[in-house]
Structure formats: C-alpha cells, structure tokens
Amino acid sequence: ATSWNPGLLGVAQVSSMTMSSTNTILLAGNFTTSTGCTRNYLQEVDTATGTSCTSFNANISGTLINTISLDSSTLFLGGNFALSGGQSRTNLSSVAYSNGLDIGWNPSPNSTTIFKIQKAGNSIYVSGNFTSIAGQGRGGISIFKLSDMSLLP
C-alpha cells in the first residue's frame, strides 16, 4: 500500500470537495498549507499520489471556504473571504479552473458566510446568511443562471 496524504496544515478542516475530470480532487476548508505549498483554504490534490503542490492556486484571503462547485471550467467558491482569484470578492466568487484567476462574477452578498453552492442543470444555487445578493433582496437562498450568471427573479 502507498501513503496518500495531502498533508493539510493549520486547523486542517475539509468542509467541501469535488472531483475534477483530470484525476484530481479539489479540497476546500480551513487550512493554509499542504505538503509545503501555501494554498489558503483551497487545494487541488492528485487522486493517485496525494501530491498537492499543483499549479492551481486561487489565492484566497480570508477565514475559510465552506463550499465549492465545479462546472467544467469554472469553480464556484463560497465561504468567508475577501479576496479570490486576485480580485476583491466578498464570500462568493468564481475562478477559472485552469489557472485560479477570477472570471468577473461578483454577486456581493451582504453576509458573513456562504454555506452551500450547488449546480443543478443550467443554474447555480447559493445559500447563506444573506438578505441581499447581486443588489437584490433575497432571504438566504438565490439562483443564478449559468449562461450569463444573472440572478433569477
């Protein structure tokens, strides 16, 4: 048997994970380092070897990532953070899976934490303790259309 250990350090709490199509798993939670690589709260790990020093780095600054959802080339992130993919983003963002850079979606929820992001069909569902998102009143849950990332009425 081989050792499979991504070596997460810090609190080392994993709150969400998703598989990619490239034999890697994306881990999100409350950790800052894995096997010598600084990867705040979001880490890509090779499923066969456990190697976690891949080139993917979304450069998160904040407290934690609670939830992630991957839609082919876009990774949606929710949690408690202020910076994602090189841009100022409050607790909810999306980055390119290819390079971790922000792709321009900035719904700006007025919350301290996003709890869950779920892709379903052509939509992204977001839940958290917000009362406003994308400039519209919403009580804790909202739906965005994937084709243009607009908030559904």
Side-chain angles (χ1 to χ4, degrees):
T2 58
S3 174
W4 192 90
N5 183 0
L8 301 177
L9 301 176
V11 176
Q13 169 190 340
V14 175
S15 54
S16 185
M17 60 185 149
T18 190
M19 299 297 292
S20 76
S21 60
T22 60
N23 297 320
T24 62
I25 186 170
L26 290 154
L27 306 175
N30 188 359
F31 51 85
T32 55
T33 305
S34 62
T35 320
C37 297
T38 299
R39 297 289 189 268
N40 294 332
Y41 320 114
L42 181 64
Q43 177 65 57
E44 181 181 46
V45 177
D46 185 286
T47 57
T49 66
T51 302
S52 57
C53 290
T54 68
S55 62
F56 178 80
N57 187 356
N59 296 307
I60 306 298
S61 177
T63 306
L64 66 110
I65 301 292
N66 281 332
T67 181
I68 55 178
S69 183
L70 182 62
D71 176 49
S72 72
S73 63
T74 302
L75 181 64
F76 296 92
L77 315 169
N80 189 323
F81 54 87
L83 184 73
S84 166
Q87 298 296 317
S88 177
R89 297 290 182 255
T90 305
N91 305 331
L92 184 61
S93 70
S94 58
V95 297
Y97 177 56
S98 61
N99 58 20
L101 296 178
D102 182 81
I103 62 166
W105 183 52
N106 189 13
S108 300
N110 71 335
S111 69
T112 55
T113 303
I114 296 299
F115 298 119
K116 183 71 176 165
I117 300 171
Q118 182 69 50
K119 179 189 177 290
N122 295 320
S123 300
I124 288 285
Y125 291 74
V126 177
S127 70
N129 60 354
F130 54 84
T131 57
S132 174
I133 191 166
Q136 301 294 314
R138 294 289 190 275
I141 191 161
S142 60
I143 307 169
F144 291 86
K145 189 167 54 171
L146 274 173
S147 61
D148 62 4
M149 294 313 299
S150 62
L151 182 67
L152 292 179

